[in-house]
Amino acid sequence: MNQLGNWISQFNSFLKLAKGLRIILIAIVLVNVLLYVKSNHKPFVSSQVRADAAGFSPDKAYKFTYFYFYTGQFPLATLNTDLVYSEEGAKQEINTRGKDLIMEYLHWSRLGESARIWAYLPNAYLRGSPEQPSIKLFNSILFVIGLTTLFFGFWKIKKPLLGLGLVLMINFTPFFLYEIYSHENVFGLMGSIFFMILGLNVQVLFSKTLTYFKLGFIAVISGAIVGLFSEFRNEISVVIVSLLLIYILSQQLKIIHKIVFVIVIIFSFNSSKGFIRDFFNLKFEKTSQLVSLNKGHVYNGAKISGHNFWHPVFCGLGDFDTKYGYEWNDIKAYDYAIPVLNRKYKMKISYSRRYHTDDYYDEAKLYYKKPEELPYYEEVVKEKVLSDIKNDPVWYIEIIVKRIFRTLTKTIPVSYIGLLLFPLVYILVRRKLWDWIKILVVSLPLSATSIIVHSGRGTTYNSVFVYFIIAIIIMLIYDEYVLKKSMSRAFIETKK
């Protein structure tokens, strides 16, 4: 045991060197390159996977890659399936088969989060063609950036052993192995962005001396990063809460500086989102003109900036509800809301219990109307949820308690290990190790979806606090060993 402790101490000292940093960063990159190559031959098992939502919806998304890659037009697709994969072929498709041009396929482009189309670009550039669209390379690149940034951040605050432990656990967790390397979806993206943001800003919690100009630059970049990737999937916006908590909980920053940084981060976050939305709104207008000019099918229907909130909250209550008929099923929400819309708002919606109404925006009936797009739909489901909560608060509290327990017990990498959060916080408070408590607090917002919206079908796998519980426990044991070793040396010196 003593020999193992000595080896760990020597290894920790080596990791603190610039040489140790370079070796670990290179190792992270190489390991993940091998994982990416391996996954292309044999996919990782889906023992831990999010199955609660369609997410990226690659079965619809791929339709828009052809024209975006070759012409930059978005949202633009075609009813023609016999495509020539070249820039000239794409231009010919527009010029000669303009009547087949469409701006929406099922309901992918109208739901906002238009930056998702960029996820296909790394693979398309690597292959030189969008013919075999994939977002796995995109996921892999961001995952590697997240892991390397995370380790570098902890290296900067002289805690490389903690950083390495976190990277190893994260890198080989079944959830991330599957979602990053084998699943054509974006459910691993939230974790990648969080690791990136924590790595960039962890010094705010631990460093005794802070350079405000440098910190301001990092805050702006961090807010912009979260804003950017929240336009890939709106759920990623929750990482901004973690980022704000880092600055709010910093012991080194004065209150006035905390206020300034919070304002800067929120401004940067909103500006980033606004810029991307304006960028794609402009593309939408230009594409509409192009499709109209070529006598294609212009989409003049409703658009939303991102996923609605109250619709998933309504459906999400189905994870534990046994009284009021909630279910994790869109149709269940539609069945409730559409009769209310027809009765209360005289909307005359035709509906036959499908994932869309029987009404269309166009005469060709290519663009059906989704209930979520209808006026007052969100208001109706919101009223239903809030009314049930108000009339039966105990019912709702029981659901929240069950969600919290599920989040604590069905996490990664080991079930039930999340329950160690409570004794660990008790120990940290007793020892006044406030920095470790702050790290745990910063990691908690990623569990928001499973507590606020829905906790079933793998949503709890997005939680990352478990990694920090394990890492902090290991560090406490290591620190205890170092302390005993130093006391033993001091005792021996005194005897001499």
Side-chain angles (χ1 to χ4, degrees), residues 74-120:
F74 183 87
L76 185 62
T78 178
L79 297 172
N80 180 30
T81 56
D82 185 20
L83 300 175
V84 176
Y85 281 84
S86 69
E87 184 176 345
E88 185 60 32
K91 291 178 179 178
Q92 280 290 106
E93 192 69 30
I94 293 172
N95 294 330
T96 62
R97 300 185 65 110
K99 291 183 179 181
D100 287 335
L101 295 178
I102 56 175
M103 294 181 62
E104 173 64 299
Y105 179 65
L106 299 181
H107 54 271
W108 195 81
S109 68
R110 73 179 80 176
L111 297 182
E113 301 172 353
S114 299
R116 292 180 293 173
I117 194 67
W118 291 338
Y120 278 125

Side-chain angles (χ1 to χ4, degrees), residues 115-133:
R116 292 180 293 173
I117 194 67
W118 291 338
Y120 278 125
L121 295 184
N123 183 73
Y125 286 134
L126 180 67
R127 292 178 173 272
S129 166
E131 189 169 2
Q132 295 178 310

Side-chain angles (χ1 to χ4, degrees), residues 378-390:
E378 273 282 281
E379 186 177 325
V380 167
V381 293
K382 174 185 175 182
E383 286 178 358
K384 161 71 171 168
V385 170
L386 293 182
S387 175
D388 287 339
I389 292 173
K390 182 180 178 180

Side-chain angles (χ1 to χ4, degrees), residues 134-176:
S134 174
I135 65 170
K136 290 196 297 179
L137 182 58
F138 166 81
N139 283 335
S140 304
I141 291 170
L142 288 177
F143 189 55
V144 170
I145 293 173
L147 293 180
T148 53
T149 308
L150 182 67
F151 178 75
F152 180 74
F154 280 97
W155 181 86
K156 286 283 288 184
I157 61 171
K158 303 188 185 305
K159 298 184 184 297
L161 200 59
L162 174 62
L164 181 60
L166 286 169
V167 167
L168 287 173
M169 284 188 288
I170 294 162
N171 212 160
F172 296 103
T173 298
F175 174 73
F176 282 111

Side-chain angles (χ1 to χ4, degrees), residues 408-409 414-428 440 465-466 469-470 473:
L408 288 168
T409 56
V414 182
S415 297
Y416 293 98
I417 206 162
L419 293 173
L420 292 175
L421 176 67
F422 302 109
L424 177 59
V425 169
Y426 174 77
I427 292 170
L428 295 176
L440 286 172
F465 68 92
V466 176
I469 289 175
I470 298 171
I473 290 174

Side-chain angles (χ1 to χ4, degrees), residues 424-434 437:
L424 177 59
V425 169
Y426 174 77
I427 292 170
L428 295 176
V429 170
R430 287 288 301 270
R431 297 188 181 185
K432 297 182 178 181
L433 298 173
W434 307 117
I437 294 175

